[in-house]
């Protein structure tokens, strides 16, 4: 996912400036590319995925994000990817959250 974010927000190793009008295109592109990559993995592991993408202009304000799930800890997972990881010099912040839920339901032993 980080590779997808880097491809969207970097050009010639320079940060792309924030553009409010491009945010819908960026979020759709990031999610489409992410889901396409996950789709192949999901078929092998019998997983379903849901993903969200938040893009915010960096203005000095903070952003806080939280997720909560009630599911099977042994088979389901959530991953959060933040771009950029550390740099405070970029023009925007992106947070992608991916939920993976197993389609396999374990039957209780009789």
């Amino acid at each position: 996912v980080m590779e997808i974010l880097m491809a969207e927000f970097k050009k010639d190793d320079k940060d792309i400036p924030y553009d409010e009008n491009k945010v819908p295109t960026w979020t759709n592109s990031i999610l489409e590319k992410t889901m396409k990559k996950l789709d192949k993995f999901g078929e092998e592991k019998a997983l379903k995925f849901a993903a969200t993408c938040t893009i915010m202009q960096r203005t000095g304000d903070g952003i806080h994000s939280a997720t909560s799930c009630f599911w099977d800890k042994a088979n389901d997972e959530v991953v959060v990817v933040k771009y950029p990881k550390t740099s405070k010099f970029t023009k925007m912040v992106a947070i992608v959250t991916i939920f993976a839920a197993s389609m396999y339901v374990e039957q209780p032993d009789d």
Side-chain angles (χ1 to χ4, degrees):
V1 175
M2 183 56 77
E3 292 170 5
I4 294 169
L5 290 171
M6 294 288 287
E8 288 292 324
F9 298 133
K10 291 256 186 211
K11 185 173 183 176
D12 301 326
D13 283 334
K14 294 181 182 171
D15 290 328
I16 293 173
Y18 180 83
D19 184 340
E20 177 181 349
N21 296 319
K22 292 183 181 178
V23 170
T25 302
W26 289 335
T27 55
N28 287 337
S29 177
I30 289 165
L31 291 175
E32 284 176 15
K33 290 174 185 175
T34 299
M35 295 306 276
K36 191 176 280 190
K37 283 190 172 192
L38 291 172
D39 186 44
K40 293 175 187 171
F41 181 74
E43 288 176 6
E44 295 171 11
K45 302 287 184 180
L47 296 170
K48 288 185 179 183
F49 297 100
T52 65
C53 180
T54 302
I55 298 175
M56 181 178 124
Q57 182 177 16
R58 187 181 290 270
T59 60
D61 295 336
I63 183 170
H64 300 277
S65 176
T67 61
S68 179
C69 305
F70 181 74
W71 57 17
D72 180 358
K73 293 178 186 177
N75 296 308
D76 303 331
E77 188 68 46
V78 64
V79 176
V80 178
V81 179
K82 180 183 173 228
Y83 171 87
K85 286 186 177 181
T86 58
S87 175
K88 61 183 176 185
F89 301 106
T90 59
K91 309 288 186 232
M92 64 189 106
V93 174
I95 300 171
V96 176
T97 305
I98 302 167
F99 300 89
S102 175
M103 293 189 287
Y104 172 73
V105 178
E106 189 172 318
Q107 300 297 324
D109 294 332
D110 289 332

